[in-house]
Amino acid sequence: MWDPQQYLAFDDHRSRPFFDLLSRVAAAEPRVVVDLGCGPGHLTAVLARRWPGAIVRALDSSPEMVAAARDRGIDATLGAVQEWQPSAETDVVVCNAVLQWVPGHPDLLARWMRELPTGAFLAVQVPGNFDAASHRAIRQVAARDDWRDSLGRAGILEPRAVLDPAGYADLLAAAGGAVDAWETTYLQRLSGEDPVLEWVTGTALRPVRGALDDAQWREFTAQLAPLLRNAYPRRADGTTWLPFRRVFAVAQKR
């Protein structure tokens, strides 16, 4: 289950890659703009403001996120990105921090690129930090005897597969796109008690939370917290640095 409030707790940090991605989309007057994996809709509203003449549509697989987006006035639909298909009028597709959850997403991206009309833009951003200390710590705890069976079935023990910028560039170019691909590591300054745990609770720990009951969740996070504190020590001023790598690709259909 996605928690919109937990996700928005770090809104500035989570939103910055979206704006960096959107800055490379050169569409002038798109007919239809689609936000795949729209979350609570706060960034979908940015698309509507940038292209006021466009029809803006949104999709998310979480009922909670769709409800939050609709509360913001977003035309959000409940559904899986794997099942989405572009229309002949779809001129911009934005998929921000979603495809890391989708097995086999490179094939999905290639299909979207092929199906989009000539001149359309496909803009994608995925986290590229699955070998970071935070994620290694999550897998380390999940591999313990207490959790191995239940979390192994949920796929927690396997790192998520994302490509590097060259991988996405090759993929989208082969499917007919003119591609701009890059990566950025943001050094995020967090504050509060166990800030890295709070951060990953909003995203990376979602499958863990979904697989555990309340008591198990409290025990799992109690085991994880000291590993994260050790990996990301608090500075003298009380803040904590969290490096976070992101991978971007923007392709225009030839």
Side-chain angles (χ1 to χ4, degrees), residues 107-121:
D107 291 340
L108 190 62
L109 282 172
R111 176 171 68 79
W112 291 344
M113 193 79 259
R114 290 192 299 267
E115 293 176 351
L116 283 168
T118 300
F121 286 85

Side-chain angles (χ1 to χ4, degrees), residues 214-233:
D214 290 347
Q216 291 172 322
W217 170 250
R218 288 192 295 271
E219 177 58 28
F220 184 92
T221 54
Q223 293 181 26
L224 177 61
L227 299 183
L228 295 177
R229 290 187 209 115
N230 183 63
Y232 303 94

Side-chain angles (χ1 to χ4, degrees), residues 25-172:
V25 179
E29 296 181 352
R31 294 164 294 176
V32 175
V33 175
V34 181
D35 187 1
L36 295 177
C38 64
H42 62 304
L43 296 175
T44 313
V46 174
L47 302 177
R49 291 194 295 271
R50 174 165 175 180
W51 292 295
I55 297 170
V56 177
R57 296 173 178 151
L59 179 81
D60 203 281
S61 63
S62 163
E64 294 81 12
M65 290 297 192
V66 168
R70 289 174 177 171
D71 286 345
R72 295 175 182 270
I74 302 299
D75 179 18
T77 301
L78 182 66
V81 297
Q82 298 94 317
E83 299 171 0
W84 179 81
Q85 291 181 304
S87 69
E89 294 78 32
T90 303
D91 291 326
V92 175
V93 180
V94 178
C95 194
N96 183 61
V98 174
L99 293 177
Q100 71 274 13
W101 301 109
V102 180
H105 73 263
D107 291 340
L108 190 62
L109 282 172
R111 176 171 68 79
W112 291 344
M113 193 79 259
R114 290 192 299 267
E115 293 176 351
L116 283 168
T118 300
F121 286 85
L122 173 58
V124 177
Q125 181 267 125
V126 290
N129 64 333
F130 295 102
D131 196 40
S134 57
H135 291 60
R136 293 198 304 271
I138 292 169
R139 294 194 295 271
Q140 179 181 336
V141 175
R144 293 175 180 172
D145 290 344
D146 291 345
W147 315 110
R148 185 182 300 113
D149 289 343
S150 58
L151 296 184
R153 289 193 299 272
I156 309 303
L157 298 178
E158 297 299 325
R160 301 282 170 178
V162 300
L163 305 181
D164 62 11
Y168 287 114
D170 286 342
L171 170 79
L172 293 169

